[in-house]
Amino acid sequence: MTCIHLLMTLVFAVSLGTAVEIQRPRGVPLSKKAFYEENKPFTCLDGSRTIPFDRVNDDYCDCKDGSDEPGTAACPNGSFHCTNAGFRPTFIPSSRINDGICDCCDTTDEYNSGAKCENTCKELGRKEREVLQKMAEITKEGFLLKQQLIEEAKKGRQEKQDKVTDMQENKKQLEEKVEALRTVKETAEQPEKEAKERHLKAWEEQKAAIRLEKDKAKMAEAFLELDDNADGFVSVSELQTHAELDPDADGTLTETEAQGLMGGTEQVDTSTFESVWASIKDKYHSESQPEEPAPVETSPDEVKEPVVDNESEPYPEEDISEEEDEDDDDEDDYHEDDDKAPPTVRTPEKSQDDEEAMPPYDVDTQALIDAAQKARDDFEEAEKALREMDDQIGNIEKELSFDFGPNAEFTYLYSQCYELTTSEYIYRLCPFNRVSQKPKYGGSETNLGSWGSWSGPENNKYLVMKYEHGTGCWQGPSRSTTVKLTCGKETVVTSTSEPSRCEYLMEFTTPAVCQEPNNTDLSPHGHEEL
Amino acid sequence: MAASCDSLVLILLVCLSAQAVDRSNFKTCDQSAFCKRQRELKPGQSPYRALLDTLELSDSRITLQLINDNNKVRLLLELYRLQGNMTRVKINELKPIKPRYEVPDVLISDPLTEALSVVSQDENSLVLSLGGKEQRLIVSAQPFRLDIVEGPQVLMSLNSRGLLAFEHLRARKDTISHKISSTVGSMWDSLKNIFSSKSESEEVTGQENAEKQSDEDEQIREEEDKPGMWEETFKSHSDSKPNGPSSISLDFSLPGVEHVYGIPEHADTLKLKNTDGSDPYRLYNLDVFQYELHNPMALYGAVPVLISHSTDRTMGIFWLNAAETWVDISSNTAGKTMFGKMLDFVKVSSEAPQTDVRWISESGIIDVFIMLGPKPTDVFTQYASLTGTQSFPPLSALAYHQCRWNYNDQEDVKAVDQGFDEHDIPYDFIWLDIEHADGKRYFTWDPSKFPQPKDMLQGLMDKRRKLVAIVDPHIRVDSGYRIHNEIRSKNFYVKNKDGGDYEGWCWPGNSGYPDFTNPEMRAWWASMFAYDQYEGSMANQYIWNDMNEPSVFNGPEVTMHKDALHGVWEHREVHNLYGLYVQKATADGLIQRSGGVERPFVLTRAFFAGSQRYGAVWTGDNAAEWGHLKMSIPMCLSLGLVGISFCGADVGGFFKHPSEELLVRWYQAGAYQPFFRAHAHIDTPRREPWLFGPENTALIREAVRQRYALLPYWYQLFYNAHRTGQPVMRPLWVEYPDNVATFSIEDEYLIGKDLLVHPVTDEGASGVTAYLPGKGEVWYDVHTFQKHDGDQNLYIPVTMNSIPVFQRGGSIICRKDRVRRSSSCMENDPYSLYVALSSQGSAEGELYIDDFHTFNFEKSKQFVHRQLSFSDNILSSRNLSPDSQFSTGSWIEKIVIIGGSQPSSVTLKTEDGTESTLEFEFDSTRAVLTLRKPAVNAAADWTVLLR
């Protein structure tokens, strides 16, 4: 009941208007026709056995290598040759013969399956030629662009290298300058420091004297206030009028307590009051200003002089010098205006302003300070210039260190960014830097990876860029992106996808990967038979 | 999924996140109030007494009342003798204050009964005849127990440990109606209970004697409420329990039995373990995130069927109850439960082993089918007669399935499809998970990713391939979604306890759950699969129902609240049945859309007894670990034993990333399991077979090709399963029931009875030890044709391309050795017959052919079913179904006879009497005779004579 298939088939192939007629078993390529000689025993192509010719293509697999059944599906490892005149000839696995699916454009694989196949070879050939032609044009133009890119990159690279060399030279000079200015600064700062210390010491002494005077005056005043009967003595009862002096803070100053404060005596005169005053002055409320709490003694080390530490000052130098001038001129104003005060300066006690204000530096000291400040400013300026120089050199050297391709043709992509907007996201590729994704309608940017390496195939690693260590995925790895580069006239991201969770794929065209067109032959069927 | 993961999904995922299962999300027996209550009851004398004077006997059944002497509640016992050697025991309240739920739609019809006759009766017992072989059913009155005996042998006893407990429905004590209806007597009882400091069990025995003499019509005595009877909380969820306690329990003793199986689904050994000192096996369909291996926790599906097996007999217990159920298994010695009248005429050694089984369900009635075997095949037939057989899948569903959460878009589907062709790997189905739908609105397509679903489906159809799209039962609450609007307007949603539409969180966010227990709802659901309703669908698109436990992310134990309402019934009553209904309604839809012509294919995750009628199941969200690969075997074997043959595990493992070795080994194992689908979690790297280097690609290709070559055998086995209920994938003991060595084997199994598979499931394995059963039998390695004797442990060295598979001597297996890119492409290809001779030089096999996808095999008997037999050097093909007819283009390409000797000539005789000589080759080193091209049609009669 088996279908005995045609052993032989006539293959008509049309090429360039010439009809040629070749006889060979179904599925055999022209190159192997010689092995299939009609009416002669057939030897399996692996030489394993020889069978009568009528067992070639008889729908039973006799050869281990499948060579006896090129035109049927009998052998698991066989292959079928489609001539595909007008398009590209191809081999298909013999399991696709008569499986109801049209695989060969010339329909020859479906000769007994009932599948309705149409010969699409001509159409496919035409389309392929068109595509190839277009590709060739793109490649040609792209390659020209690439040459320009290479030229530019070469020029750019040379310029940058020259620049770095120049800058290195300048840097040396700058370094010397910085060192010289450092010495000047240090030399100027020593006398400044000594003069300031002198000034400060004098001021401290002066302050102590003033405080003593003030205390005495207060004591006398208090004596007068307490001596209600103006008899020149302060008595226990007179003292008791000042309940705030109550030592156990129970609200009443008892007689015993008052006596205790007075050293056990009933009354004291102005001279003996001195010792009493020492024990009550902290609590004593003057009757003339009863609401005001006792002033808190400010310790002498809480100096109100603004301390300007040039080494760590975060503000721009110009601003500081201005401020400093102001402070030096009018310290009172400065202290009273808290808003203006730098956070490091403590808020002063207003009641003691007059006492705490440091007198201005004398002319000699001020001159030393000004000189030292100028030396500091000069040094800072030079040092800053050196840092900037270092940064610039670093940037250029970093750029020069990138692998921009065998001919530096990818240089032009450096510090550029290319975007592609999809229905949901804006994708951004900044070559040699990073890839990111931002929702189109608001939301924060996600890092899809930072520049990792070239990771194309061994023969041309410059076809694929890998960006790694992007934002981490929930319960997964950090995001990464593979960028596939193809030849194109324009530099543009053509597609993005996420084939696997958090592993992105970007297609990117650039002239930089266009290969030199090797020939002008646009024929798609170099191996076409007939 | 894109970088900034949909925040909702993220939150949901975080809720569920853990490295492995978060056990605290799921109840232990102690945390399930009824299980705790019931399990506190220890074996002892049963308070139940059969009132023999209430006996009513009809042709098909007897009824008797039972009384609980503690509370005077009466129960009604119904006993049926069913055709095919089964006994049905039903126990309900005699007069429940409202009806108790009886599970519908699981039995395929009212089981046919046979006459029960009273053999003898005395004051304390009743002996009923169960028919031939001296089978008797003995009802003992006090304490109540049932014993099924055959001659002098006790096969099974019920309530022999006194664990029958039936919580009667009652009014809540704090309600006004109760106060009014209370009598003085019952009030006294209540007071007594309140002031009693004794424990419940002490009280029970205390009352025993006092009440023995009392009037049987005494008022029902009220019992003290126990915690969790009227309300129960678990984590943040509370169960309002308006109907109060309603649980039921019954014990079964199996003398002489040491091996019990079944009650899937659990990620545990094939042979059930003793649960003394651990939790019972739990049956409660649950979406368990990253489930653990080797424990009795409930999983996605539940089949309350337990199979017992000993060298003497195989039996089954089918506990028809869809509520939350726990099953305790304990080993015992038989003497313990034998007493009273039994000892008079039953011989039982007190040393004999015994297995005791106790079933506890939260609600419903006791409705038990006792399948008395005696052989494994009899139990399968008996169970099939109750709940039906495996649906006969279209052939392509038995082929290879490529799935992933998710194939991103149409281009991705196309690229994967092409990938299979480029790498010459066959596949039949590509699958789309939840991301294909527009915002998880099932029955729709994401407009940007799948703008032209019909183009995509047509592209697959052109390759003679198919697609499965997921349709889950949670419906996005969204007034712009037609499906939701229709369900809401038709009032088809499950209701919450307060009567509003029940809503819960699932993939789409806030979701409603259609009430699949409602037949009108199911009919409507089925109609949604019509081509004009389900836009973009085509004939080569099939369906996958996931999350149908149902999964409710923010519900108790990730499922629906038990006090939700399905019409008048609480979800509590129907829970384990919900998933079955979803798959049933979907399968019905696929049948209807084709006008009743095409066989459906629907995969489900949740299932119940009877789910085999509607399609395939898989073992849910497993993980890429060797342990999970191993576990896939006992899990599918357990399902096969209880009727569900179409079972598989996600090849490669769903969670995590498999090593290349694990992936290859899983393909090799999966190729020999009934449902063969690779699947992967969305967070895992891509896993298509060609992504792991040419060597691994070749290994996977070879495994898949072996599957395709054997499709005729699989198909015939599924036909057989559909016809007879015999499992496709079988534990060895099913075919070798007398061989104790096979009883615990779960690392190898049989496909049908003729192929023995011992997949490699160990990392870095250099060999496996397979047990080849059957004294005097022989087995042939299917790859080398090397012959091995049966009844031996055989060490088989393995390499990465080894899949140890053996064909039984005495069998004939039909293959299609021309593997093509899909099973449809192979439909007219010729067959090769592999005749493996027994030690007696004979062999038998079958060949089944039809159109591979329609119901015509059933409706109009369009099929070919042939018996192939070899004996006395004659191989013949005989028609097993002369009244059927089908013409096939397939023919016999090759006959390989293994284990024979070299003939001098071979003659083929066809039905018209023509004789011709066949050419042959004989490989004397392997004793393999290959007959060249008989070229007879596969449907024809023929004989081949070796001389």
Side-chain angles (χ1 to χ4, degrees), chain A residues 167-412:
Chain A
M167 286 167 91
Q168 294 285 17
E169 193 53 43
N170 289 342
K171 185 184 162 187
K172 242 179 238 166
Q173 292 170 9
L174 255 180
E175 276 167 351
E176 283 162 16
K177 189 178 167 192
V178 165
E179 280 318 301
L181 286 171
R182 187 195 304 277
T183 314
V184 171
K185 180 183 84 126
E186 281 163 3
T187 316
E189 277 175 336
Q190 189 54 34
E192 180 203 31
K193 191 181 167 200
E194 287 164 8
K196 272 183 164 178
E197 277 167 1
R198 272 196 308 275
H199 180 83
L200 187 64
K201 199 176 168 204
W203 182 51
E204 290 295 344
E205 285 163 2
Q206 194 188 343
K207 270 200 294 187
I210 291 169
R211 259 200 304 277
L212 195 63
E213 279 307 306
K214 272 192 175 174
D215 192 41
K216 274 189 177 156
K218 260 191 187 165
M219 180 176 77
E221 197 187 324
F223 189 86
L224 289 176
E225 278 176 12
L226 285 168
D227 185 12
D228 289 335
N229 57 3
D231 65 350
F233 293 98
V234 172
S235 66
V236 168
S237 57
E238 280 166 347
L239 194 62
Q240 275 179 280
T241 60
H242 278 250
E244 77 268 17
L245 300 176
D246 177 21
D248 63 4
D250 64 356
T252 48
L253 182 60
T254 61
E255 201 179 315
T256 328
E257 283 171 341
Q259 216 162 6
L261 288 171
M262 291 179 61
T265 55
E266 282 300 314
Q267 57 178 31
V268 289
D269 61 8
T270 46
S271 63
T272 45
F273 183 67
E274 226 170 293
S275 63
V276 178
W277 175 243
S279 60
I280 67 170
K281 66 180 177 187
D282 288 348
K283 287 183 178 172
Y284 184 77
H285 276 190
S286 169
E287 286 163 15
S288 57
Q289 29 176 223
E291 301 303 319
E292 201 174 348
V296 176
E297 190 73 20
T298 309
S299 62
D301 54 355
E302 285 181 22
V303 186
K304 298 304 179 292
E305 188 200 14
V307 178
V308 177
D309 181 358
N310 281 329
E311 296 300 314
S312 64
E313 178 55 55
Y315 296 104
E317 282 155 297
E318 297 85 347
D319 294 346
I320 284 174
S321 51
E322 253 183 56
E323 232 176 77
E324 233 175 35
D325 290 343
E326 209 178 81
D327 292 346
D328 286 348
D329 291 342
D330 191 353
E331 273 201 316
D332 288 357
D333 283 357
Y334 175 76
H335 287 167
E336 273 165 12
D337 190 346
D338 286 349
D339 290 339
K340 264 172 118 184
T344 49
V345 177
R346 295 182 202 179
T347 310
E349 292 294 334
K350 285 185 183 176
S351 61
Q352 299 195 349
D353 281 356
D354 49 351
E355 185 192 304
E356 297 297 323
M358 186 176 76
Y361 293 116
D362 61 63
V363 179
D364 291 347
T365 309
Q366 191 59 49
L368 288 172
I369 292 172
D370 291 349
Q373 188 57 42
K374 184 167 184 314
R376 272 193 294 269
D377 292 349
D378 291 349
F379 170 72
E380 280 301 317
E381 204 178 320
E383 212 182 34
K384 190 183 164 205
L386 179 60
R387 275 201 306 271
E388 282 169 0
M389 175 74 75
D390 263 342
D391 286 351
Q392 282 179 29
I393 293 172
N395 284 340
I396 299 174
E397 280 180 340
K398 185 184 166 202
E399 187 179 341
L400 288 170
S401 75
F402 274 104
D403 178 358
F404 288 130
N407 296 303
E409 58 268 46
F410 299 99
T411 311
Y412 82 107

Side-chain angles (χ1 to χ4, degrees), chain B residues 48-58 61-68 73-80 88-95 116 118 120-128 137-146 164:
Chain B
Y48 285 96
R49 177 156 55 92
L51 305 174
L52 295 184
D53 54 354
T54 62
L55 171 70
E56 283 179 37
L57 179 63
S58 75
R61 67 164 191 178
I62 71 152
T63 62
L64 266 178
Q65 290 179 21
L66 305 179
I67 188 162
N68 180 333
V73 173
R74 290 193 181 207
L75 305 178
L76 182 69
L77 168 72
E78 295 172 69
L79 298 171
Y80 300 82
R88 182 181 192 176
V89 178
K90 252 177 115 167
I91 302 175
N92 197 351
E93 287 182 56
L94 181 65
K95 290 174 185 161
L116 265 178
V118 177
S120 67
Q121 185 174 4
D122 61 25
E123 74 225 9
N124 195 41
S125 72
L126 178 66
V127 180
L128 301 161
L137 174 59
I138 301 163
V139 183
S140 304
Q142 190 171 21
F144 165 69
R145 62 182 277 164
L146 296 173
L164 168 62

Side-chain angles (χ1 to χ4, degrees), chain A residues 103-166:
Chain A
D103 291 287
C104 301
C105 64
D106 64 6
T107 78
T108 50
D109 60 318
E110 296 301 313
Y111 57 87
N112 193 29
S113 70
K116 292 185 181 104
C117 301
E118 277 175 42
N119 189 324
T120 55
C121 292
K122 270 191 181 169
E123 180 61 16
L124 286 172
R126 190 181 60 75
K127 275 189 189 156
E128 191 185 51
R129 275 190 298 277
E130 272 173 23
V131 169
L132 285 174
Q133 193 152 5
K134 212 171 180 185
M135 273 305 301
E137 276 163 27
I138 289 170
T139 306
K140 199 173 150 195
E141 285 178 54
F143 187 71
L144 285 177
L145 288 171
K146 181 181 175 178
Q147 297 311 112
Q148 286 174 24
L149 291 175
I150 291 170
E151 271 314 300
E152 278 164 26
K154 252 185 209 162
K155 233 187 273 168
R157 192 177 176 81
Q158 194 53 53
E159 275 167 18
K160 275 171 193 138
Q161 270 163 347
D162 291 350
K163 198 172 171 194
V164 169
T165 316
D166 286 356

Side-chain angles (χ1 to χ4, degrees), chain A residues 1 49 55 58-60 62 73-74 95-97 99 101 103 425 437 474 479 498-501 504, chain B residues 1-3 17 408 421 462 464 682-686 818-821 891 893 919 921 932-933 935:
Chain A
M1 277 277 296
R49 67 190 290 190
R55 299 210 167 160
D58 74 337
D59 210 10
Y60 186 89
D62 293 288
S95 66
R96 295 182 191 170
I97 298 167
D99 67 350
I101 300 163
D103 291 287
Y425 297 98
Q437 174 204 51
W474 179 74
R479 290 176 172 78
E498 188 183 1
S500 199
R501 179 67 156 231
Y504 296 80
Chain B
M1 191 173 286
S17 91
N408 298 330
D421 285 345
D462 291 344
R464 308 183 77 177
I682 192 166
D683 286 332
T684 61
R686 292 289 283 242
R818 303 183 180 190
V819 174
R820 301 189 188 252
R821 66 187 130 193
W891 46 284
E893 165 175 43
E919 247 187 72
E921 272 177 58
R932 190 187 191 280
K933 209 180 176 189

Side-chain angles (χ1 to χ4, degrees), chain A residues 1-4 49 55 58-62 68-69 72-77 93-103 109-110 423-425 427 437 439 444 446 448 473-477 479 497-504, chain B residues 1-5 10 13-14 17-19 289-290 404 408 412 420-425 448-449 462-464 681-686 705 817-821 824-825 829 888 891 893-894 919 921 930-933 935-937:
Chain A
M1 277 277 296
T2 180
C3 309
I4 304 297
R49 67 190 290 190
R55 299 210 167 160
D58 74 337
D59 210 10
Y60 186 89
C61 191
D62 293 288
D68 63 316
E69 297 293 318
T72 79
C75 293
N77 51 351
S94 59
S95 66
R96 295 182 191 170
I97 298 167
N98 290 329
D99 67 350
I101 300 163
C102 310
D103 291 287
D109 60 318
E110 296 301 313
S423 58
E424 279 177 273
Y425 297 98
Y427 290 88
Q437 174 204 51
S444 57
T446 305
L448 304 186
C473 272
W474 179 74
Q475 271 210 340
R479 290 176 172 78
S497 57
E498 188 183 1
S500 199
R501 179 67 156 231
C502 299
E503 290 176 13
Y504 296 80
Chain B
M1 191 173 286
S4 64
C5 179
L10 185 64
L13 290 173
V14 169
S17 91
Q19 278 312 299
F289 182 82
Q290 297 193 344
R404 171 174 186 84
N408 298 330
D412 198 2
F420 276 92
D421 285 345
E422 274 159 32
H423 299 91
D424 201 15
I425 300 171
S448 62
K449 296 171 186 162
D462 291 344
K463 296 270 195 74
R464 308 183 77 177
H681 189 278
I682 192 166
D683 286 332
T684 61
R686 292 289 283 242
R705 289 172 71 107
D817 284 334
R818 303 183 180 190
V819 174
R820 301 189 188 252
R821 66 187 130 193
S824 302
C825 293
D829 278 340
T888 172
W891 46 284
E893 165 175 43
K894 185 168 68 173
E919 247 187 72
E921 272 177 58
T930 306
L931 310 186
R932 190 187 191 280
K933 209 180 176 189
V936 286
N937 187 279

